[in-house]
Amino acid sequence: MRVLVVEDDVKVASFIVKGLNAAGYAVDHALDGENGLHMALTEPYDTAIIDIMLPKLDGLSLLKECERRKISTPVIILSAKASIDDRVKGLQRGGDDYLTKPFCLF
């Protein structure tokens, strides 16, 4: 299974990537939304984990662009924004699930 992680916090990204690799997943990482979009458009992924607050292109805009380009990869939104309104907005914009920081990987 191949996973795309789009997360600008290097510590958080490292934690996620190491944990998923240890569980047997192949993981690619992008530090910003533009690079994440490029990777999503050029490589097939089984799932993506996308932060909302990203440099260059925010996570919700990334989701919108993926939808516009008919990319149907399931997405887990990862965010420090924990309000119900933020969760609803993320799910309405195309996220399949919403995980708030801090979190436990397994």
Side-chain angles (χ1 to χ4, degrees):
M1 183 173 231
R2 191 164 183 188
V3 180
L4 173 62
V5 175
V6 187
E7 169 62 65
D8 62 322
D9 184 313
V10 176
K11 277 185 163 181
V12 172
S14 177
F15 173 74
I16 295 168
V17 170
K18 285 179 184 177
L20 291 173
N21 281 332
Y25 297 96
V27 183
D28 293 331
H29 173 231
L31 283 169
D32 62 68
E34 280 184 2
N35 201 19
L37 177 60
H38 173 75
M39 293 170 80
L41 293 173
T42 57
E43 298 291 334
Y45 291 98
D46 297 296
T47 194
I49 299 171
I50 301 174
D51 187 13
I52 288 181
M53 296 184 294
L54 294 166
K56 298 186 181 179
L57 180 69
D58 67 88
L60 295 180
S61 296
L62 191 160
L63 282 172
K64 185 176 180 179
E65 188 61 23
C66 284
E67 180 182 21
R68 187 181 78 75
R69 296 186 186 212
K70 308 285 191 240
I71 297 171
S72 59
T73 303
V75 173
I76 298 170
I77 296 172
L78 179 63
S79 180
K81 294 183 172 187
S83 76
I84 291 174
D85 287 342
D86 290 320
R87 291 177 196 194
V88 169
K89 183 189 276 187
L91 295 172
Q92 286 176 336
R93 295 273 176 94
D96 295 284
D97 206 347
Y98 195 102
L99 181 63
T100 58
K101 297 175 188 176
F103 61 92
C104 179
L105 192 57
F106 297 106

